């Protein structure tokens, strides 16, 4: 099973090695490491691992390590070493008229989430696999934010008359590094889609 785990630990030499040794002792194979932040004397890192056990067992066993806080362990479909953001932008460049639909389809995989929706005036315009038929966003933000929505962890990305909602059912809240990545990708898609709209307007009679 592929798992992502987010841990916070003292930011000092050997910290990553401590986690790697602990994962090795469990029999987990580390496939990828992402540094999310380094501040206030602590580091927050995410690991993608392959392990035969379950998320709850891994969280319980790692939480016993001195100085380590396990923020979450959850299943992932993201294949380490792949470049899904580049694949997304290649698809959008090939068919920019479908840019936002392609973005919504891709964001769950990019963000380790379960589903995504594109809402305009409360109506679903685009939906990924596993997305609900609708979603009530009572207070649409003016800028990209992370927030809680009942049992969901959410990213909300306003762009070009849409509010794109990305939802994760299990695991920790979206980190600001994840928000920043999603915002940048969305901005590029918006530019590509906007150029297509401008070109179409230029040739309209």
């Amino acid at each position: 099973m592929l798992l992502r785990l987010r841990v916070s630990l003292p930011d000092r030499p050997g910290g990553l090695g401590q986690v790697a040794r602990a994962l090795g002792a469990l029999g987990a194979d580390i496939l990828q490491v992402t540094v999310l932040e380094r501040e206030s004397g602590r580091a927050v890192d995410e690991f993608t691992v392959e392990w035969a056990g379950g998320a709850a067992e891994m969280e319980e066993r790692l939480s016993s390590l001195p100085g380590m806080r396990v923020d979450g362990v959850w299943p992932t479909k993201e294949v380490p070493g792949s470049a899904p953001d580049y694949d997304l932008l290649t698809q959008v460049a090939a068919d920019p008229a479908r840019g936002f639909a392609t973005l919504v389809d891709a964001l769950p995989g990019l963000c380790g989430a379960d589903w995504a929706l594109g809402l305009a005036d409360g109506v679903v315009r685009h939906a990924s696999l596993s997305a609900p038929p609708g979603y009530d966003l009572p207070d649409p933000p003016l800028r990209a934010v992370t927030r809680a929505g009942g049992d969901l962890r959410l990213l909300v990305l306003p762009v070009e008359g849409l509010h794109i909602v990305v939802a994760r059912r299990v695991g920790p809240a979206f980190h600001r590094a994840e928000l920043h990545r999603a915002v940048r990708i969305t901005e590029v898609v918006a530019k590509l889609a906007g150029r297509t709209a401008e070109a179409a307007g230029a040739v309209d009679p």
Side-chain angles (χ1 to χ4, degrees):
M1 174 185 291
L2 280 180
L3 296 173
R4 280 175 67 177
L5 59 132
R6 184 182 299 173
V7 299
S8 172
L9 62 157
D11 187 12
R12 62 189 180 212
L16 280 176
Q18 177 189 11
V19 182
R21 287 191 296 274
L23 290 171
L26 290 175
D29 186 14
I30 300 173
L31 304 178
Q32 183 170 285
V33 182
T34 303
V35 178
L36 296 179
E37 69 178 64
R38 288 272 191 276
E39 60 182 36
S40 301
R42 293 190 69 83
V44 178
D45 302 316
E46 277 192 0
F47 294 77
T48 302
V49 301
E50 188 166 16
W51 193 49
E57 182 184 356
M58 174 167 284
E59 183 168 355
E60 179 181 354
R61 295 176 70 171
L62 288 179
S63 295
S64 64
L65 295 175
M68 184 182 299
R69 184 183 75 233
V70 180
D71 292 335
V73 182
W74 68 104
T76 182
K77 296 179 181 178
E78 184 176 353
V79 179
S82 63
D85 42 0
Y86 295 141
D87 292 340
L88 162 64
L89 296 178
T90 299
Q91 292 178 44
V92 173
D95 188 3
R98 295 195 71 257
F100 289 118
T102 303
L103 173 68
V104 168
D105 282 339
L107 277 172
L110 287 169
C111 298
D114 293 288
W115 54 261
L117 289 174
L119 301 171
D121 298 322
V123 177
V124 175
R125 304 297 185 187
H126 310 291
S128 71
L129 290 174
S130 302
Y135 187 79
D136 181 22
L137 195 63
D139 184 23
L142 298 177
R143 60 183 180 84
V145 296
T146 62
R147 62 166 55 164
D151 294 332
L152 297 172
R153 296 84 172 144
L154 302 176
L155 287 177
V156 186
L157 312 168
V159 56
E160 300 290 334
L162 287 174
H163 277 86
I164 297 174
V165 180
V166 186
R168 176 187 288 161
R169 294 189 186 94
V170 296
F174 288 99
H175 191 274
R176 63 177 179 269
E178 294 177 289
L179 175 65
H180 179 71
R181 181 188 183 207
V183 167
R184 295 302 301 273
I185 291 170
T186 300
E187 288 174 344
V188 175
V189 171
K191 288 183 182 298
L192 290 170
R195 286 174 185 165
T196 297
E198 290 169 5
V203 299
D204 282 345

